[in-house]
Amino acid sequence: MFDESINKVRSALFNINGITLEEDYDAVLIKKLATTNLIKENRGSSTKQSHIALSGENSRDFFPYVHISSYIDQKNDGSTMKSFYVLQVPMILSEKNIVRANNSDNKVIFNFSNKKITGKASVKLSRPGNSPQIELGNPTTSDDIFYKFRSLFYVNDILVILKKSLNLEYEAYIIKNDDALSYDLKDTVQFSPRGSRSTKVDLSEITPKNEQSEQSDVMKINYKTNVTSDFYHNRIVFGAPGTGKSYDLNRDRQILLENGGEYERVTFHPDYSYAGFVGTYKPVMLESSNDHYMKDDEKEILSVLMGNKTAQEKYDDLYEKFKDNNLTRLPLLLGLYDNEEFKTKKRDGSDSSGNNDVERNHGRAIRPYVNLLLDKNSESDIGYEYVPGPFMRMYVKALKNAQTLNAKPFLLIVEEINRANVAAVFGDVFQLLDRDKDNVSEYSIQASEDIKKYLAKELGGDAQTYSRIKIPNNMFIWSTMNSADQGVFPMDTAFKRRWDFDYLGINHNENDIKGNIVRVGSGDHQQTIEWNELRKQINDTLSSYKINEDKLLGPYFLSKKIVVPLKGNEIDSKKFKSAFKSKVLMYLFDDAAKQKRSSLFDGCKDTTKYSSICEEFDRRGIEIFCKEIRDKFPRTITVVAESEEDYK
């Protein structure tokens, strides 16, 4: 059984080498090596076998292999089919394991990085019929690292290979025979019931060249990776202001990317557009030098003309280049750069009878009007380039990573998604948000010429490869939304149904602020209240006015740095009162309770002016509110005696 085998390996590696296996694995291979499985230096026999032979169907399915429909023997027909399909798989080796096994006088040198090193072991299916056999680790087709690893084995030592979960990546260990005696490690290949069983690539599924369509040479793009997550791929977190939407997304981001990957954050606003989100051609500053467009031979000519030689030496150096077509132009060209006299020659190499004063003087005359390319400093110019937006940047990174065997998640976070017109911002990308059971876009879209060229530039291949594109399943899009904000754009049902919505209740994340107190008011009106209880009472009062929940106050409507003290449970009164006036009172006055000012601020003399309410709050604290709130926090007056007479 797989669990029994993997537990034996875990115990052996931990007790012998102090290695803790933290990864999840699909399969385990255990093999006690015979003499024929060793490299020649270690076996002392004349056998010609140079690989580790693994027999049986389980061994075949443990590694990636190419299925050959029939076995062809080289001896019979001279075919090379038998030895043609050789693959390489990554083998991760542990420094702890190697150090213990590498205890001979002639130690093998490994260069470890972060306690690990990765070698490449060759895998060849040599008998694909009824008795399949894998030839593993042939020295001529494996790399030097795996060859060194094999050199550490002697007869009856045990090779352990673990296949990582949902990944064609392996960990290889050596357990010396003396170390392994008490662990009962018997030869076996076991698969986890959760894992993928076969790694076969069937040649019968590959269309012959002469039957391929016109698109046969187009690179195939992989959109489905081994990335899995309990988080939704398209996700919108919404709730009242201050409920911790961004906080929760940031926490979940760290969990999603704990084993690698990248993220980018963007905030939508009313003027945000498809061009900013996906990308478009834009004018950009191009840095170039004056001779950027010069050919090599032109640069060589310029170098001669601007050199320190005499005019005659320059003419002689350039004569061969000009004699076939442009010999008469050479004196004019020299006149642009030089004032000295020089003699000219005919095409046959003999001296010319006439002088070249006219040509030289003509060159000198037009010198002020010709750019002599003397200034080599770079200059700025304006050009047009495709400039990707945050969606396209993250899409390219995710798609590039999806073509590897070690895919990672890539996350785009959109803050305040409904502050922009999402239908206009997403454009045709909207269609890609429909995901299938593998979390790949169920429907592809036709990419524009601009996008096709950009993807070909970034990812390689021909632009036609990217004619139709999808979102890979290693790309996540998470957003926050607060429908209570003024000036937001409505979302239609078709857009909403492509997202999974997480609602954060009005008291979500309140634990950190419970019990934190603050002093408000002044003089006889000063009292100590608990901020969380005041917040809840304000919310209850607003609810009694039939105000929707998304208009209420979340625990962090006032920021955490204000309402969560660094020490103790007493909030800084000065900072709190300032934030309460500028955020809570303004929000209630201008937005949430705009139609109920006189009722909510029943304790104020003037409820028509925001400044009056703030002044009353500085003096009387929560007495500015209505009776329902005041009664929840009764004021306690403490009388301090001034003299003994006060006690009489």
Side-chain angles (χ1 to χ4, degrees), residues 493-526:
T493 303
F495 186 84
K496 285 182 177 179
R497 74 174 184 81
R498 287 166 166 80
W499 299 81
D500 290 286
F501 284 79
D502 288 341
Y503 177 70
L504 302 188
I506 195 62
N507 295 319
H508 182 77
N509 282 328
E510 71 172 341
N511 288 337
D512 285 345
I513 68 169
K514 283 183 176 179
N516 294 336
I517 59 175
V518 63
R519 285 174 291 133
V520 296
S522 61
D524 291 343
H525 298 280
Q526 186 179 89

Short mmCIF file of all heavy atoms in Angstrom, two decimals, residues 493-526:
data_model
loop_
_atom_site.label_atom_id
_atom_site.label_comp_id
_atom_site.label_asym_id
_atom_site.label_seq_id
_atom_site.Cartn_x
_atom_site.Cartn_y
_atom_site.Cartn_z
N THR A 493 -26.17 41.66 -14.71
CA THR A 493 -26.23 40.28 -14.22
C THR A 493 -25.25 39.38 -14.95
O THR A 493 -24.65 38.48 -14.34
CB THR A 493 -27.67 39.74 -14.40
OG1 THR A 493 -28.58 40.60 -13.71
CG2 THR A 493 -27.79 38.33 -13.85
N ALA A 494 -25.07 39.58 -16.24
CA ALA A 494 -24.16 38.74 -17.02
C ALA A 494 -22.73 38.85 -16.49
O ALA A 494 -21.99 37.85 -16.45
CB ALA A 494 -24.21 39.13 -18.49
N PHE A 495 -22.34 40.05 -16.08
CA PHE A 495 -21.00 40.23 -15.53
C PHE A 495 -20.91 39.59 -14.15
O PHE A 495 -19.94 38.89 -13.82
CB PHE A 495 -20.66 41.72 -15.45
CG PHE A 495 -19.24 42.00 -15.04
CD1 PHE A 495 -18.22 41.99 -15.96
CD2 PHE A 495 -18.93 42.26 -13.71
CE1 PHE A 495 -16.91 42.25 -15.58
CE2 PHE A 495 -17.64 42.52 -13.32
CZ PHE A 495 -16.62 42.51 -14.26
N LYS A 496 -21.93 39.81 -13.32
CA LYS A 496 -21.90 39.30 -11.95
C LYS A 496 -21.82 37.78 -11.89
O LYS A 496 -21.16 37.22 -11.02
CB LYS A 496 -23.15 39.77 -11.19
CG LYS A 496 -23.12 41.23 -10.77
CD LYS A 496 -24.38 41.57 -9.98
CE LYS A 496 -24.35 43.00 -9.48
NZ LYS A 496 -25.58 43.34 -8.73
N ARG A 497 -22.53 37.10 -12.79
CA ARG A 497 -22.60 35.65 -12.67
C ARG A 497 -21.27 34.96 -13.00
O ARG A 497 -21.11 33.77 -12.75
CB ARG A 497 -23.71 35.10 -13.57
CG ARG A 497 -23.42 35.09 -15.05
CD ARG A 497 -24.53 34.39 -15.81
NE ARG A 497 -24.23 34.28 -17.24
CZ ARG A 497 -23.45 33.36 -17.76
NH1 ARG A 497 -22.87 32.46 -16.98
NH2 ARG A 497 -23.22 33.32 -19.06
N ARG A 498 -20.32 35.70 -13.54
CA ARG A 498 -19.00 35.13 -13.82
C ARG A 498 -18.05 35.24 -12.63
O ARG A 498 -16.90 34.89 -12.73
CB ARG A 498 -18.41 35.81 -15.05
CG ARG A 498 -19.09 35.38 -16.34
CD ARG A 498 -18.74 36.27 -17.53
NE ARG A 498 -19.14 35.68 -18.80
CZ ARG A 498 -20.36 35.68 -19.31
NH1 ARG A 498 -21.34 36.26 -18.63
NH2 ARG A 498 -20.62 35.11 -20.46
N TRP A 499 -18.56 35.77 -11.52
CA TRP A 499 -17.74 35.94 -10.32
C TRP A 499 -18.35 35.19 -9.15
O TRP A 499 -19.56 34.99 -9.08
CB TRP A 499 -17.63 37.43 -9.94
CG TRP A 499 -16.99 38.27 -10.99
CD1 TRP A 499 -17.58 38.79 -12.11
CD2 TRP A 499 -15.62 38.70 -11.04
NE1 TRP A 499 -16.67 39.51 -12.84
CE2 TRP A 499 -15.45 39.48 -12.20
CE3 TRP A 499 -14.53 38.51 -10.19
CZ2 TRP A 499 -14.25 40.05 -12.54
CZ3 TRP A 499 -13.33 39.09 -10.53
CH2 TRP A 499 -13.18 39.85 -11.69
N ASP A 500 -17.50 34.82 -8.22
CA ASP A 500 -17.95 34.29 -6.94
C ASP A 500 -17.85 35.42 -5.91
O ASP A 500 -16.78 36.01 -5.74
CB ASP A 500 -17.09 33.10 -6.51
CG ASP A 500 -17.32 31.89 -7.38
OD1 ASP A 500 -18.37 31.26 -7.24
OD2 ASP A 500 -16.45 31.58 -8.23
N PHE A 501 -18.95 35.70 -5.23
CA PHE A 501 -19.02 36.83 -4.31
C PHE A 501 -18.86 36.35 -2.87
O PHE A 501 -19.52 35.40 -2.44
CB PHE A 501 -20.35 37.56 -4.47
CG PHE A 501 -20.43 38.42 -5.70
CD1 PHE A 501 -20.68 37.87 -6.94
CD2 PHE A 501 -20.23 39.80 -5.61
CE1 PHE A 501 -20.75 38.67 -8.06
CE2 PHE A 501 -20.30 40.61 -6.73
CZ PHE A 501 -20.55 40.04 -7.96
N ASP A 502 -17.96 37.00 -2.15
CA ASP A 502 -17.78 36.77 -0.71
C ASP A 502 -18.27 38.01 0.04
O ASP A 502 -17.70 39.10 -0.13
CB ASP A 502 -16.31 36.53 -0.36
CG ASP A 502 -15.82 35.19 -0.84
OD1 ASP A 502 -16.67 34.32 -1.10
OD2 ASP A 502 -14.60 35.00 -0.95
N TYR A 503 -19.31 37.83 0.84
CA TYR A 503 -19.85 38.97 1.59
C TYR A 503 -19.23 39.03 2.98
O TYR A 503 -19.19 38.02 3.70
CB TYR A 503 -21.37 38.88 1.70
CG TYR A 503 -21.96 40.00 2.52
CD1 TYR A 503 -21.96 41.30 2.03
CD2 TYR A 503 -22.47 39.75 3.79
CE1 TYR A 503 -22.48 42.34 2.78
CE2 TYR A 503 -23.00 40.79 4.54
CZ TYR A 503 -23.00 42.07 4.03
OH TYR A 503 -23.51 43.10 4.78
N LEU A 504 -18.74 40.19 3.38
CA LEU A 504 -18.22 40.40 4.72
C LEU A 504 -19.26 41.15 5.53
O LEU A 504 -19.62 42.28 5.19
CB LEU A 504 -16.90 41.19 4.67
CG LEU A 504 -15.77 40.58 3.84
CD1 LEU A 504 -14.48 41.37 4.07
CD2 LEU A 504 -15.55 39.12 4.19
N GLY A 505 -19.75 40.51 6.58
CA GLY A 505 -20.78 41.11 7.41
C GLY A 505 -20.29 42.36 8.12
O GLY A 505 -19.09 42.63 8.21
N ILE A 506 -21.23 43.09 8.67
CA ILE A 506 -20.91 44.40 9.25
C ILE A 506 -20.00 44.29 10.46
O ILE A 506 -19.28 45.24 10.80
CB ILE A 506 -22.22 45.14 9.61
CG1 ILE A 506 -21.93 46.63 9.86
CG2 ILE A 506 -22.90 44.49 10.81
CD1 ILE A 506 -21.38 47.34 8.66
N ASN A 507 -19.97 43.13 11.11
CA ASN A 507 -19.10 42.95 12.28
C ASN A 507 -17.93 42.01 12.00
O ASN A 507 -17.27 41.55 12.92
CB ASN A 507 -19.91 42.41 13.47
CG ASN A 507 -20.95 43.42 13.94
OD1 ASN A 507 -20.68 44.61 14.00
ND2 ASN A 507 -22.14 42.93 14.23
N HIS A 508 -17.67 41.76 10.73
CA HIS A 508 -16.54 40.91 10.34
C HIS A 508 -15.22 41.57 10.78
O HIS A 508 -15.03 42.76 10.63
CB HIS A 508 -16.56 40.71 8.83
CG HIS A 508 -15.49 39.80 8.32
ND1 HIS A 508 -15.56 38.44 8.44
CD2 HIS A 508 -14.32 40.07 7.70
CE1 HIS A 508 -14.48 37.90 7.90
NE2 HIS A 508 -13.71 38.87 7.44
N ASN A 509 -14.34 40.76 11.34
CA ASN A 509 -13.01 41.24 11.76
C ASN A 509 -13.05 42.18 12.96
O ASN A 509 -12.14 42.99 13.15
CB ASN A 509 -12.28 41.95 10.60
CG ASN A 509 -11.70 40.97 9.61
OD1 ASN A 509 -11.30 39.87 9.97
ND2 ASN A 509 -11.65 41.37 8.34
N GLU A 510 -14.09 42.08 13.80
CA GLU A 510 -14.21 43.03 14.92
C GLU A 510 -13.40 42.62 16.15
O GLU A 510 -13.25 43.41 17.09
CB GLU A 510 -15.67 43.20 15.33
CG GLU A 510 -16.25 41.98 16.02
CD GLU A 510 -17.63 42.24 16.60
OE1 GLU A 510 -17.99 43.41 16.80
OE2 GLU A 510 -18.34 41.25 16.87
N ASN A 511 -12.88 41.40 16.18
CA ASN A 511 -12.25 40.89 17.42
C ASN A 511 -11.11 41.78 17.92
O ASN A 511 -10.94 41.98 19.12
CB ASN A 511 -11.74 39.47 17.21
CG ASN A 511 -12.89 38.47 17.13
OD1 ASN A 511 -13.98 38.74 17.63
ND2 ASN A 511 -12.67 37.34 16.49
N ASP A 512 -10.31 42.31 16.99
CA ASP A 512 -9.14 43.10 17.41
C ASP A 512 -9.53 44.43 18.06
O ASP A 512 -8.71 45.03 18.77
CB ASP A 512 -8.23 43.38 16.21
CG ASP A 512 -7.44 42.16 15.80
OD1 ASP A 512 -7.40 41.21 16.61
OD2 ASP A 512 -6.88 42.14 14.70
N ILE A 513 -10.73 44.91 17.81
CA ILE A 513 -11.09 46.22 18.36
C ILE A 513 -12.00 46.12 19.57
O ILE A 513 -12.32 47.12 20.20
CB ILE A 513 -11.75 47.12 17.29
CG1 ILE A 513 -13.12 46.58 16.89
CG2 ILE A 513 -10.85 47.27 16.08
CD1 ILE A 513 -13.91 47.55 16.04
N LYS A 514 -12.43 44.90 19.90
CA LYS A 514 -13.29 44.73 21.07
C LYS A 514 -12.56 45.16 22.34
O LYS A 514 -11.39 44.84 22.53
CB LYS A 514 -13.74 43.28 21.20
CG LYS A 514 -14.84 42.88 20.24
CD LYS A 514 -15.27 41.43 20.50
CE LYS A 514 -16.43 41.04 19.61
NZ LYS A 514 -16.84 39.63 19.84
N GLY A 515 -13.26 45.87 23.21
CA GLY A 515 -12.71 46.24 24.50
C GLY A 515 -11.80 47.45 24.48
O GLY A 515 -11.33 47.89 25.54
N ASN A 516 -11.51 48.02 23.30
CA ASN A 516 -10.66 49.20 23.23
C ASN A 516 -11.49 50.45 23.54
O ASN A 516 -12.52 50.70 22.92
CB ASN A 516 -10.02 49.32 21.85
CG ASN A 516 -9.05 48.18 21.57
OD1 ASN A 516 -8.54 47.57 22.52
ND2 ASN A 516 -8.82 47.88 20.31
N ILE A 517 -11.01 51.24 24.50
CA ILE A 517 -11.77 52.38 25.00
C ILE A 517 -11.09 53.69 24.63
O ILE A 517 -9.90 53.73 24.33
CB ILE A 517 -11.94 52.30 26.53
CG1 ILE A 517 -10.57 52.27 27.22
CG2 ILE A 517 -12.76 51.07 26.91
CD1 ILE A 517 -10.63 52.31 28.73
N VAL A 518 -11.87 54.79 24.70
CA VAL A 518 -11.34 56.11 24.37
C VAL A 518 -12.14 57.17 25.12
O VAL A 518 -13.33 57.00 25.38
CB VAL A 518 -11.40 56.36 22.84
CG1 VAL A 518 -12.83 56.38 22.35
CG2 VAL A 518 -10.68 57.66 22.47
N ARG A 519 -11.45 58.26 25.50
CA ARG A 519 -12.10 59.38 26.18
C ARG A 519 -12.54 60.43 25.17
O ARG A 519 -11.74 60.85 24.32
CB ARG A 519 -11.16 60.00 27.20
CG ARG A 519 -10.99 59.15 28.47
CD ARG A 519 -9.92 59.71 29.40
NE ARG A 519 -8.60 59.58 28.82
CZ ARG A 519 -7.70 60.57 28.79
NH1 ARG A 519 -8.01 61.76 29.25
NH2 ARG A 519 -6.50 60.36 28.28
N VAL A 520 -13.80 60.84 25.26
CA VAL A 520 -14.33 61.87 24.36
C VAL A 520 -14.98 62.96 25.20
O VAL A 520 -15.27 62.78 26.38
CB VAL A 520 -15.35 61.29 23.36
CG1 VAL A 520 -14.68 60.30 22.43
CG2 VAL A 520 -16.51 60.63 24.10
N GLY A 521 -15.24 64.09 24.56
CA GLY A 521 -15.81 65.23 25.27
C GLY A 521 -14.76 65.93 26.12
O GLY A 521 -13.58 65.60 26.10
N SER A 522 -15.20 66.93 26.88
CA SER A 522 -14.27 67.68 27.73
C SER A 522 -15.02 68.18 28.96
O SER A 522 -16.25 68.30 28.97
CB SER A 522 -13.66 68.86 26.98
OG SER A 522 -14.67 69.76 26.55
N GLY A 523 -14.24 68.48 30.00
CA GLY A 523 -14.83 69.01 31.23
C GLY A 523 -15.84 68.07 31.83
O GLY A 523 -15.62 66.85 31.93
N ASP A 524 -16.99 68.63 32.24
CA ASP A 524 -18.04 67.82 32.84
C ASP A 524 -18.66 66.83 31.86
O ASP A 524 -19.36 65.89 32.26
CB ASP A 524 -19.15 68.73 33.39
CG ASP A 524 -18.68 69.53 34.60
OD1 ASP A 524 -17.65 69.14 35.19
OD2 ASP A 524 -19.34 70.54 34.93
N HIS A 525 -18.43 67.04 30.58
CA HIS A 525 -19.02 66.18 29.55
C HIS A 525 -18.07 65.07 29.11
O HIS A 525 -18.39 64.34 28.17
CB HIS A 525 -19.42 67.03 28.34
CG HIS A 525 -20.45 68.06 28.64
ND1 HIS A 525 -21.79 67.78 28.74
CD2 HIS A 525 -20.32 69.39 28.92
CE1 HIS A 525 -22.46 68.89 29.03
NE2 HIS A 525 -21.59 69.89 29.14
N GLN A 526 -16.94 64.98 29.76
CA GLN A 526 -15.98 63.94 29.34
C GLN A 526 -16.44 62.58 29.85
O GLN A 526 -16.88 62.44 30.97
CB GLN A 526 -14.59 64.25 29.89
CG GLN A 526 -13.52 63.29 29.37
CD GLN A 526 -12.15 63.61 29.91
OE1 GLN A 526 -11.77 63.10 30.97
NE2 GLN A 526 -11.42 64.47 29.20
#
